[in-house]
């Protein structure tokens, strides 16, 4: 059997509730315009106390693989790098937080967008499920039961673009569609060899969830490619609430100060958002459900 064009590396940690929805949203039964032979999904369980069931992962398609990554690190850096090492695709897609559900055209549109470059990089914006960003929503009573009710109120399995109707754009993606570079990408696609040439994710990031690990990697990408970065229109990822270190933090206890301190200890300089003046290219279509997230210039 020939190797797939794309390997999706996705990392889970104690996400028994969230993983089935995320994996279904990456399956051939949900993704449009692409066949299961074109990509593989590599589910990495990053030292969970309640590991995922391998049979559950594989039931979503013959192109799904499962690995339990033995570690005591709360950071996904090593797990992502391991996933890329075992990946078979010429290109890789990275999702460092397995709680993120996908829109139906995310995989196929990413591959089409990558065809125009010898060294492609394709990213997508991110959303939080719920009426507000999740640390604010959680303070007002939003929880997993309410999120289950929200998801059950829309037929997202048959029209995943309806996820935009029940979501709030993530702070890191606040620029919106056509608004320029976000601070990070929760979905990114690039050549596997390019990832390896860059040294992968920096494993000195040890904070739960990786801290500013993803932000730092995007900074290296912007320095490498500049305006050659492509951002998808009308596609994205949607974060399920799961008690994570950032999205479920209590008022006044967001760990960003600790993340910035860790960054400073590693690099000896303060973190700044990369690529703010870049002019990325855009690719894709804007379904009706997503149009309220187009950037509003002049506001």
């Amino acid at each position: 059997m020939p190797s797939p064009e794309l390997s999706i590396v996705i990392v889970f940690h104690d996400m028994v509730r969230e993983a089935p929805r995320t994996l279904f949203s990456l399956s051939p039964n949900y993704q449009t315009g692409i066949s299961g032979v074109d990509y593989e999904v590599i589910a990495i369980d990053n030292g969970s106390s309640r590991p995922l069931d391998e049979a559950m992962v594989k039931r979503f398609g013959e192109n799904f693989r499962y690995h339990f990554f033995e570690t005591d690190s709360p950071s996904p850096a090593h797990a992502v790098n391991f996933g890329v090492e075992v990946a078979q695709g010429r290109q890789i897609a990275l999702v460092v937080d397995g709680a993120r559900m996908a829109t139906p055209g995310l995989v196929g549109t990413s591959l089409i967008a990558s065809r125009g470059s010898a060294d492609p990089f394709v990213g997508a914006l991110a959303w939080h499920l719920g009426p507000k960003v999740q640390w604010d929503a959680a303070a007002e009573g939003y929880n997993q039961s309410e999120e289950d009710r929200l998801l059950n109120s829309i037929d997202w399995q048959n029209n995943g673009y309806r996820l935009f109707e029940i979501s709030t754009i993530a702070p890191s993606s606040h620029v919106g569609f056509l608004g320029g570079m976000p601070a990070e990408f929760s979905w990114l696609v690039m050549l596997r060899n390019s990832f390896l040439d860059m040294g992968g994710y920096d494993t000195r990031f040890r904070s739960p969830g990786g801290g500013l690990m993803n932000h730092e990697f995007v900074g290296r990408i912007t320095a490498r490619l500049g305006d050659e970065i492509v951002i998808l229109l009308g596609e994205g990822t949607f974060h399920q609430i799961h008690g994570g270190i950032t999205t479920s933090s209590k008022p006044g206890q967001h760990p960003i100060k600790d993340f910035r301190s860790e960054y400073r200890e590693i690099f000896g300089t303060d973190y700044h958002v990369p690529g703010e003046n870049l002019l990325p290219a855009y690719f894709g279509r804007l379904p009706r459900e997503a149009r309220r997230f187009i950037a509003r210039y002049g506001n």
Side-chain angles (χ1 to χ4, degrees):
M1 178 178 291
S3 297
E5 173 62 21
L6 178 72
S7 296
I8 302 172
V9 176
I10 182 166
V11 179
F12 298 92
H13 178 74
D14 287 336
M15 293 180 183
V16 171
R17 166 187 171 267
E18 295 77 24
R21 284 193 286 236
T22 295
L23 294 171
F24 174 77
S25 77
L26 294 172
S27 72
N29 289 331
Y30 176 88
Q31 288 294 318
T32 59
I34 193 167
S35 167
V37 300
D38 297 321
Y39 71 102
E40 65 175 349
V41 177
I42 304 173
I44 309 293
D45 194 319
N46 192 39
S48 295
S49 59
R50 296 176 60 202
L52 300 180
D53 177 49
E54 183 173 4
M56 181 277 294
V57 173
K58 290 185 173 181
R59 79 168 185 241
F60 291 101
E62 295 182 358
N63 58 332
F64 279 68
R65 300 161 59 194
Y66 171 81
H67 294 273
F68 183 84
F69 188 73
E70 192 75 49
T71 181
D72 58 1
S73 173
S75 168
H78 285 95
V80 175
N81 292 346
F82 167 77
V84 175
E85 288 176 8
V86 302
Q88 299 176 2
R90 188 178 72 92
Q91 299 189 67
I92 54 166
L94 304 179
V95 185
V96 301
D97 183 343
R100 297 185 180 276
M101 302 162 65
T103 47
L106 184 62
V107 179
T109 306
S110 293
L111 283 179
I112 296 172
S114 72
R115 293 174 185 170
S117 173
D119 190 13
F121 180 88
V122 179
L125 302 184
W127 282 258
H128 291 183
L129 292 172
K132 297 181 178 181
V133 293
Q134 285 177 347
W135 47 82
D136 288 339
E140 297 177 7
Y142 184 75
N143 54 30
Q144 292 178 331
S145 295
E146 176 61 17
E147 185 168 271
D148 293 343
R149 186 198 66 78
L150 260 184
L151 286 166
N152 289 333
S153 73
I154 60 170
D155 188 16
W156 68 270
Q157 294 92 337
N158 291 305
N159 179 8
Y161 294 108
R162 292 201 65 189
L163 292 168
F164 286 110
E165 298 176 2
I166 60 169
S167 298
T168 302
I169 199 161
S172 61
S173 294
H174 75 277
V175 293
F177 293 121
L178 302 174
M181 280 288 295
E184 67 165 334
F185 293 102
S186 297
W187 165 272
L188 55 91
V189 175
M190 63 188 300
L191 294 178
R192 178 176 180 269
N193 284 343
S194 293
F195 180 89
L196 295 174
D197 289 345
M198 293 174 60
Y201 277 117
D202 195 321
T203 56
R204 290 176 293 178
F205 285 98
R206 301 282 296 177
S207 292
L212 294 177
M213 172 193 81
N214 213 25
H215 299 68
E216 186 274 332
F217 188 75
V218 170
R220 279 187 275 155
I221 289 289
T222 59
R224 177 186 178 106
L225 297 177
D227 293 340
E228 296 301 311
I229 289 171
V230 177
I231 298 177
L232 298 182
L233 295 174
E235 308 292 343
T237 63
F238 298 81
H239 187 268
Q240 303 170 71
I241 194 166
H242 62 92
I245 185 68
T246 300
T247 50
S248 296
S249 58
K250 295 180 180 179
Q253 297 181 10
H254 193 284
I256 186 61
K257 290 183 179 179
D258 294 334
F259 292 168
R260 288 183 177 275
S261 177
E262 180 181 57
Y263 186 97
R264 192 180 306 113
E265 289 174 5
I266 294 172
F267 298 103
T269 185
D270 289 331
Y271 168 77
H272 67 277
V273 177
E276 290 181 295
N277 297 319
L278 293 183
L279 297 174
Y282 294 93
F283 184 85
R285 299 177 179 178
L286 277 166
R288 173 185 53 81
E289 297 90 342
R291 292 173 190 169
R292 66 189 177 101
F293 296 107
I294 297 173
R296 289 168 171 80
Y297 295 99
N299 287 358

